[in-house]
C-alpha cells in the first residue's frame, strides 16, 4: 500500500498511486514499507535476463498486479529490439575498479527510457484495475530527456493525452528536435520561457489547483504525471541497480556480498533515490555518491543540511541537471525522519514560502553516512570528457563526465577504494557538440551543423550514431517543410498558461 509523504491521503494500492501520479495533498506517494530481500534473491538474479530481473523486483512493490501482467509489461518495455544492447543496461569496465552502467541503449538514447518504456504499460494496467473511464492528461516538465522519453513511451497509448513542457533555452538542439518532431496523435509539446524549475513549479501548481481539476473532471479528464514524482516512473529504476550488481557477480568482477559505490549524476534526485531504495532492500551498496554541476544545490544540502533554491541558476553543458528544486528529496526526507509526514510538510512549506529549509544534525548525519556529494563546473566537465577518451578510449556525455570526475575527487579525498559504478545517463551523441568540442577543440569542428557534428563525432569515437538520432535529420527537414516557421512549439510564459 502507498501513502503520501505529507500524510493527508488514505492508503492506496500501487495502481491507484500510479494512476494519480502526485498525491492530492501535494506530497509524493511512497510505499508503506520497503520490501527486504536476502542473499538468495540477489544470487538468483544472476541467471535471469533483464526482463526477468525487472519482473522479480517489481512484484515486490506492485503487489496488486499479477505476475503475468508484470511479465507482459516488462516484455513490452524492454523487448522487441527497442534496446540496442541485449543486456538492456550493460555494465562496462572502463578502468581499474571503475565501471559504467550504460542506461542509454533505449529508443531515445537516455536513461529515462529505462522507466518511460515501462510506465505507460503500468499506467494502462492501473486504469483497467481501478475502472477509470476518464481521459488521463499526463503533464511532464522536462530538462530535456524525460520529455522525449515520455512522448516516445506514450505515443498513441489509449486513454492518455500528454503535454510536455521544456525550458525554451535550456535543452540541447538534439533534445529539442527529438521532442518537436515526435509523432503521435495524443501528444503536445510546449516551450517555457524560463528554466526547468519554472516548468516543474507550474506543473505542480496545476496539480494542486482544485478548481481547475474539478473543471477537468466535469469534462472527463484527470491529471497524472510521467515525471519521477510518479511512483510508476521511479520503481523501474530500482531494477538496474540490482541488475548491475548481479552482472558484476556473474562475471566474477566482484564476489557476492561485496559492497559497491554507485556514482549518480542527478538533478531531481530520482535516479539516486532509486539506488537508495535498492540499498534499503538489502543490495550491498556502500555509498551513493551524488554528482552535481554548477547548480550544486544538492551538494550543499547533502553536506550542510541546508536546502536553498535562493541562488543563481546556471545553464551548463549538462542541462538535464540544471535544476534547483529537487522534488524527490521529499521522499528521502520522509524515509530518514521515520515517516514523519508533519515534519516533511513543514520543510516543504518553508521551501515554498522562503525558498529554503534546514534539517537537524541527527538527520544530516544519517544522510551523510550514505550520500557523499560533489560538483564540477563546465571546464572540468569538458576536460574529463577529453581525458577519459584519451586514456581509456571511452566517450562520456557531459552528465556522465560530471559523475566520473566527482567519483575521482571522492576517491582521492577519502581513500575509499570500493569499486565504483558510474551511472551513465545519456549517449554522448545526445550532446554531440559539447562532446566533440571537448575531444578535438571547437576550432577543429569542420561543420557545426547539428547533423554534421553527429557524423564527425561518430568517426572520432568509432561508434555508429544511434539509429533514432540518425533519423532525426530527415524528420527535421520533413517537419520544417510541413510546418514552415511554425515548427517551433507554442511558447507559454509558465505551464499554468495552458488554462
Amino acid at each position: 500500500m502507498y501513502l503520501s509523504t505529507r500524510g493527508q491521503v488514505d492508503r492506496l494500492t500501487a495502481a491507484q498511486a500510479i494512476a494519480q501520479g502526485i498525491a492530492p495533498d501535494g506530497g509524493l506517494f511512497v510505499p508503506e514499507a520497503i520490501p527486504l530481500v536476502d542473499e538468495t534473491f540477489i544470487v538468483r538474479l544472476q541467471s535471469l535476463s533483464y526482463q526477468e530481473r525487472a519482473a522479480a523486483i517489481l512484484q515486490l512493490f506492485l503487489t496488486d498486479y499479477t505476475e503475468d501482467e508484470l511479465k507482459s509489461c516488462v516484455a513490452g518495455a524492454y523487448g522487441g529490439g527497442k534496446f540496442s544492447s541485449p543486456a538492456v543496461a550493460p555494465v562496462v569496465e572502463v578502468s581499474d575498479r571503475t565501471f559504467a552502467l550504460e542506461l542509454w541503449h533505449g529508443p531515445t538514447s537516455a536513461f529515462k527510457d529505462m522507466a518511460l518504456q515501462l510506465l505507460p504499460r503500468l499506467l494502462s494496467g492501473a486504469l483497467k484495475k481501478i475502472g477509470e473511464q476518464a481521459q488521463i492528461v499526463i503533464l511532464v516538465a522536462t530538462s530535456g530527456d524525460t520529455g522525449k522519453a515520455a512522448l516516445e513511451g506514450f505515443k498513441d497509448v489509449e486513454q492518455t493525452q500528454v503535454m510536455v513542457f521544456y525550458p525554451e533555452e535550456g535543452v540541447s538542439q538534439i533534445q529539442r528536435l527529438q521532442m518537436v518532431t515526435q509523432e503521435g496523435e495524443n501528444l503536445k509539446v510546449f516551450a517555457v520561457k524560463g528554466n526547468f524549475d519554472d516548468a516543474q513549479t507550474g506543473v505542480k501548481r496545476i496539480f494542486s489547483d482544485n478548481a481547475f481539476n474539478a473543471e477537468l473532471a466535469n469534462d472527463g479528464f484527470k491529471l497524472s504525471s510521467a515525471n519521477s514524482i510518479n511512483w510508476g516512473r521511479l520503481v523501474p529504476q530500482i531494477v538496474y541497480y540490482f541488475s548491475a550488481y548481479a552482472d558484476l557477480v556473474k562475471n566474477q568482477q566482484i564476489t557476492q556480498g561485496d559492497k559497491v559505490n554507485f556514482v549518480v549524476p542527478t538533478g531531481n534526485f530520482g535516479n539516486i533515490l532509486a539506488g537508495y531504495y535498492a540499498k534499503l532492500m538489502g543490495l550491498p551498496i556502500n555509498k551513493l555518491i551524488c554528482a552535481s554541476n554548477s547548480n550544486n544545490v544538492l551538494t550543499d544540502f547533502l553536506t550542510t543540511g541546508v536546502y536553498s533554491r535562493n541562488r543563481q541558476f546556471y545553464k551548463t553543458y549538462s542541462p538535464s541537471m540544471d535544476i534547483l528544486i529537487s522534488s524527490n528529496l521529499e521522499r528521502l526526507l520522509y524515509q530518514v525522519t521515520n515517516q514523519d509526514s508533519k515534519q516533511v510538510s513543514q520543510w516543504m512549506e518553508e521551501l515554498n514560502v522562503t525558498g529554503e529549509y534546514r534539517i537537524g544534525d541527527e538527520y544530516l548525519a544519517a544522510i551523510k553516512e550514505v550520500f557523499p556529494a560533489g560538483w564540477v563546473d563546465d571546464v572540468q566537465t569538458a576536460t574529463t570528457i577529453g581525458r577519459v577518451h584519451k586514456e581509456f578510449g571511452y566517450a562520456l556525455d557531459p552528465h556522465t563526465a560530471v559523475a566520473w570526475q566527482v567519483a575521482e575527487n571522492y576517491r582521492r579525498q577519502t581513500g575509499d577504494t570500493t569499486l565504483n559504478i558510474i551511472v551513465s545517463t545519456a549517449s554522448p551523441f545526445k550532446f554531440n557538440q559539447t562532446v566533440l568540442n571537448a575531444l578535438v577543440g571547437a576550432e577543429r569542428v569542420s561543420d557545426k551543423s547539428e547533423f554534421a557534428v553527429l557524423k564527425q563525432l561518430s568517426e572520432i569515437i568509432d561508434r555508429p550514431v544511434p539509429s533514432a538520432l540518425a533519423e532525426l535529420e530527415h524528420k527535421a527537414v520533413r517537419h520544417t517543410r510541413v510546418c514552415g516557421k511554425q515548427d517551433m512549439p507554442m511558447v507559454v510564459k509558465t505551464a499554468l498558461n495552458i488554462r
Side-chain angles (χ1 to χ4, degrees):
M1 303 299 289
Y2 288 79
L3 306 170
S4 168
T5 51
R6 303 190 191 179
Q8 302 300 310
V9 178
D10 292 336
R11 297 162 74 243
L12 299 179
T13 64
Q16 290 171 322
I18 289 171
Q20 288 192 28
I22 190 170
D25 60 0
L28 306 185
F29 288 116
V30 287
E32 191 173 29
I34 305 297
L36 302 178
V37 301
D38 56 19
E39 187 173 292
T40 302
F41 178 90
I42 299 173
V43 169
R44 186 169 62 89
L45 296 178
Q46 296 172 35
S47 61
L48 303 181
S49 67
Y50 190 88
Q51 292 91 327
E52 292 168 329
R53 293 169 182 176
I57 292 164
L58 292 172
Q59 285 172 13
L60 303 176
F61 286 98
L62 310 180
T63 56
D64 51 334
Y65 288 75
T66 68
E67 181 178 354
D68 286 342
E69 286 171 338
L70 290 176
K71 286 182 177 180
S72 176
C73 285
V74 298
Y78 305 121
K82 288 185 176 181
F83 285 74
S84 60
S85 169
V88 180
V91 185
V92 177
E93 185 172 9
V94 181
S95 67
D96 183 40
R97 298 191 67 73
T98 301
F99 290 74
L101 170 56
E102 295 182 344
L103 301 178
W104 37 262
H105 290 276
T108 76
S109 301
F111 85 101
K112 304 299 175 71
D113 290 324
M114 302 302 300
L116 282 166
Q117 282 298 305
L118 183 59
L119 175 60
R121 293 165 173 79
L122 295 178
L123 178 60
S124 293
L127 297 179
K128 292 183 177 68
K129 285 180 180 298
I130 65 178
E132 181 60 71
Q133 300 299 313
Q135 282 283 309
I136 304 301
V137 182
I138 298 166
L139 304 182
V140 182
T142 183
S143 52
D145 288 334
T146 293
K148 170 60 179 177
L151 293 166
E152 181 70 28
F154 280 96
K155 177 179 62 179
D156 296 326
V157 171
E158 291 184 5
Q159 206 178 338
T160 65
Q161 304 287 328
V162 181
M163 304 179 77
V164 169
F165 303 90
Y166 73 88
E168 184 181 21
E169 302 295 334
V171 300
S172 75
Q173 178 70 351
I174 284 288
Q175 288 174 315
R176 188 191 78 81
L177 285 172
Q178 282 186 305
M179 288 186 281
V180 302
T181 62
Q182 175 66 52
E183 298 173 350
E185 293 298 319
N186 61 333
L187 311 175
K188 298 289 184 183
V189 180
F190 301 87
V192 174
K193 287 189 178 296
N195 57 39
F196 170 77
D197 293 321
D198 297 318
Q200 179 170 249
T201 299
V203 166
K204 285 184 174 180
R205 285 175 178 165
I206 296 172
F207 276 113
S208 61
D209 187 329
N210 293 328
F212 183 47
N213 278 267
E215 184 181 342
L216 284 176
N218 287 335
D219 290 335
F221 296 94
K222 287 187 177 180
L223 298 178
S224 189
S225 173
N227 284 91
S228 57
I229 56 177
N230 190 319
W231 180 252
R233 235 299 291 282
L234 188 62
V235 68
Q237 296 179 261
I238 298 172
V239 176
Y240 50 71
Y241 287 92
F242 278 92
S243 182
Y245 190 91
D247 280 342
L248 289 175
V249 176
K250 180 180 180 180
N251 296 330
Q252 299 182 341
Q253 288 153 326
I254 59 173
T255 301
Q256 176 64 44
D258 288 351
K259 290 191 173 184
V260 297
N261 294 335
F262 283 94
V263 191
V264 190
T266 188
N268 218 15
F269 208 74
N271 197 1
I272 197 168
L273 182 69
Y276 181 61
Y277 283 123
K279 178 178 173 65
L280 294 179
M281 292 171 69
L283 190 66
I285 294 176
N286 178 41
K287 302 290 184 183
L288 290 159
I289 303 170
C290 181
S292 300
N293 60 23
S294 295
N295 294 297
N296 56 357
V297 62
L298 284 170
T299 305
D300 285 352
F301 171 72
L302 295 171
T303 54
T304 69
V306 179
Y307 191 96
S308 177
R309 59 176 170 83
N310 302 321
R311 61 179 65 214
Q312 183 175 349
F313 177 87
Y314 297 96
K315 289 170 58 179
T316 74
Y317 291 160
S318 45
S320 298
M321 299 159 65
D322 289 348
I323 296 172
L324 295 181
I325 303 175
S326 302
S327 293
N328 274 292
L329 265 184
E330 185 167 341
R331 285 185 167 116
L332 174 65
L333 295 173
Y334 182 80
Q335 197 66 43
V336 299
T337 59
N338 196 27
Q339 302 185 343
D340 188 344
S341 57
K342 290 183 179 179
Q343 178 64 80
V344 172
S345 296
Q346 179 183 323
W347 285 329
M348 295 304 103
E349 180 63 17
E350 290 173 4
L351 180 65
N352 183 52
V353 174
T354 70
E356 72 173 46
Y357 59 87
R358 299 167 180 263
I359 64 174
D361 291 342
E362 179 182 353
Y363 298 136
L364 177 60
I367 289 173
K368 290 177 73 171
E369 180 64 26
V370 179
F371 295 97
W375 69 278
V376 297
D377 61 20
D378 276 353
V379 173
Q380 294 167 300
T381 300
T383 299
T384 302
I385 293 171
R387 178 173 56 81
V388 170
H389 187 259
K390 182 178 180 179
E391 292 181 6
F392 307 112
Y394 190 81
L396 305 171
D397 90 286
H399 306 76
T400 309
V402 167
W404 185 285
Q405 189 59 53
V406 167
E408 289 190 343
N409 294 346
Y410 167 79
R411 181 170 284 176
R412 183 175 58 254
Q413 293 162 2
T414 65
D416 182 356
T417 60
T418 303
L419 183 145
N420 282 336
I421 303 171
I422 311 294
V423 179
S424 182
T425 55
S427 163
F429 290 103
K430 283 291 285 277
F431 303 91
N432 51 62
Q433 187 78 62
T434 298
V435 175
L436 187 58
N437 288 350
L439 294 181
V440 303
E443 68 282 353
R444 293 183 57 192
V445 178
S446 55
D447 183 344
K448 295 189 178 182
S449 67
E450 197 69 23
F451 301 106
V453 170
L454 278 175
K455 294 181 178 68
Q456 189 175 353
L457 179 60
S458 175
E459 294 171 359
I460 294 293
I461 67 175
D462 195 26
R463 294 187 73 138
V465 178
S467 58
L469 298 184
E471 293 167 2
L472 261 184
E473 183 172 13
H474 305 293
K475 286 186 176 181
V477 171
R478 184 169 65 250
H479 192 69
T480 302
R481 185 185 303 124
V482 171
C483 302
K485 293 295 184 181
Q486 302 302 315
D487 72 305
M488 281 296 290
M490 175 181 176
V491 177
V492 289
K493 187 173 183 181
T494 71
L496 278 174
N497 281 21
I498 68 167
R499 293 186 62 178

